[in-house]
Structure formats: C-alpha cells, structure tokens
Amino acid sequence: MHTKPHMRIKQSPRAMLKVLHVFKEMLKQQDYRDIAVADIAHKADVGRTTFYRYFKRKLDILIALHQNIFENIFEDLRSTEDWLSTNTPPSLEKLLITFSRNSMFRRSMSFRLGSDLDAATKQLQTKLVQHIENKLINTFNTDEFIIPSYTLAHSIAALYLSQIQQLIASPTPCPIQQAKYLHLLTRGIIVAALTTTNSSETHTNGNH
C-alpha cells in the first residue's frame, strides 16, 4: 500500500476513507472473494486512478482495515501501568465481544479469502507484530527487556491471534473472560521479559 506505515486511518485522505468505509460495509453483505475492485470504486464514488493512488489491490484495503483494528485493540495500553495491570483493557473486551457476536467471522477464512489467504495471513501477522513492537518501544525502556522487542512482540501477536481464532471458532467461551485471560497471559510474557530487578518491582507495583 502506498500509505506511510505509521499513518493512522483517521488521518488518511478523504478518498481513502471512503474506500475503506465502503469496503467495510460490503463485507457485511458479501464475502471478500466475491467483491470486485470496480464495485468498490463505484460505490465509493472514486475514479480508478484515485483508487490505485492508495491501494494496489483489494488485499491492501483489508490490511488497512485491520490496521485500524490493531490501533483500537491496543488503544487503552498507553503506559507501563496499563500493560502490567491485572485489569482487562476495555478496548480488548469490546473487540472480543464484537468477534463473538458477529456470526460472519465464523465462516471459514480459507473460503472467504480465497487465493489471498496466504498473503493476507502473512501480512496481517507482520503488521500486528510491528504494531505491538512499536507500542512496546514507545511505552517501555526496551533496554530493560532480556528478550528482544521483536521476539517479544512476535510472541504476543501469536497469543492474540490464537485466542481470537479460538473465540471465532466457537461462540461458547465468554468473550469478557477470554479478554481477561488474554491480557493476563500478555502481562505474564512481559513480566518474564523484564530484567530480574524490574520483574520483582512489577510484582510489587503492577496491581491496581
């Protein structure tokens, strides 16, 4: 995609926002694989030249939408206290509740994404890892980690993807409880990654 990696969706050009909005609405009625670029551009009322200024292909729109999801899911994790608190971030609860209540998410990803499945999976995982690593770098003094920030971010991303896929696969688990488990597991990974001195301080001061 031609947009800068750090650009937040809300700061994007109006035409790009229109495409994202239209595509998101279309996904509520159709599977990804059944949506054509021409239909997206038509409904967004943007020319093909304008469309391709921001997106090379349909998959880029999907990745951009998930960038927004990543921003929202970690919105409440703004400080070391937020990451290390035992309280579940409201933004995480909200997202898991959305996944749980929306039956469209329980359709097979391989069916919905078709030939873009592998590329989408790899790109989304990469974007999630990058987003988490940036959050960690901006929040913690990464010199305090005994595990590289990228490795730490990769582990947290794998945990999030696993838990979300589990929730999508079955509507049985309570999303609020799953959000609590997910946050506590994430907290545990970060505590383990801190140096011994900081880790002991975390156990003392991490609870609110």
Side-chain angles (χ1 to χ4, degrees):
M1 194 168 66
H2 296 267
T3 54
K4 296 180 180 179
H6 63 272
M7 178 182 285
R8 291 180 62 87
I9 297 299
K10 294 178 182 178
Q11 298 172 339
S12 303
R14 184 170 179 272
M16 181 179 176
L17 291 175
K18 288 173 64 178
V19 170
L20 290 169
H21 175 73
V22 164
F23 185 64
K24 182 178 180 180
E25 292 302 308
M26 292 178 74
L27 284 174
K28 295 178 181 179
Q29 306 295 329
Q30 301 172 255
D31 284 315
Y32 170 90
R33 64 189 298 165
D34 297 326
I35 299 175
V37 167
D39 293 333
I40 300 171
H42 175 72
K43 292 188 177 183
D45 193 26
V46 298
R48 292 179 68 86
T49 301
T50 301
F51 178 91
Y52 286 113
R53 183 182 304 154
Y54 302 112
F55 305 102
K56 293 181 181 179
R57 52 181 176 165
K58 181 174 61 173
L59 178 58
D60 290 339
I61 315 176
L62 184 70
I63 301 301
L65 283 178
H66 279 78
Q67 178 183 326
N68 198 33
I69 292 175
F70 298 157
E71 291 171 358
N72 291 336
I73 196 174
F74 295 102
E75 183 178 6
D76 295 323
L77 299 176
R78 301 174 181 174
S79 66
T80 56
E81 290 77 13
D82 293 333
W83 283 94
L84 299 176
S85 171
T86 55
N87 298 321
T88 309
S91 57
L92 179 58
E93 284 188 358
K94 182 179 179 180
L95 180 73
L96 294 197
I97 289 172
T98 299
F99 278 129
S100 178
R101 289 178 177 176
N102 198 330
S103 61
M104 68 168 281
F105 289 116
R106 285 190 276 279
R107 299 190 64 180
S108 167
M109 287 291 288
S110 59
F111 174 81
R112 287 189 285 122
L113 295 180
S115 60
D116 278 346
L117 175 63
D118 289 342
T121 301
K122 291 177 182 178
Q123 288 191 43
L124 288 174
Q125 183 175 13
T126 298
K127 290 289 186 182
L128 180 58
V129 171
Q130 291 174 345
H131 187 79
I132 294 174
E133 183 178 22
N134 287 337
K135 291 286 291 188
L136 292 174
I137 291 173
N138 290 333
T139 305
F140 292 88
N141 175 3
T142 51
D143 290 337
E144 297 177 352
F145 289 136
I146 57 176
I147 299 175
S149 58
Y150 175 79
T151 302
L152 184 59
H154 203 283
S155 298
I156 294 174
L159 179 62
Y160 267 72
L161 292 173
S162 175
Q163 292 294 308
I164 290 174
Q165 288 170 0
Q166 178 183 339
L167 186 66
I168 290 174
S170 172
T172 303
C174 171
I176 295 178
Q177 193 68 47
Q178 290 297 102
K180 180 177 179 63
Y181 294 156
L182 179 53
H183 179 65
L184 290 178
L185 288 169
T186 301
R187 178 183 183 275
I189 292 175
I190 294 177
V191 169
L194 290 168
T195 58
T196 304
T197 301
N198 286 288
S199 181
S200 61
E201 291 176 354
T202 294
H203 287 294
T204 302
N205 302 320
N207 295 321
H208 299 325

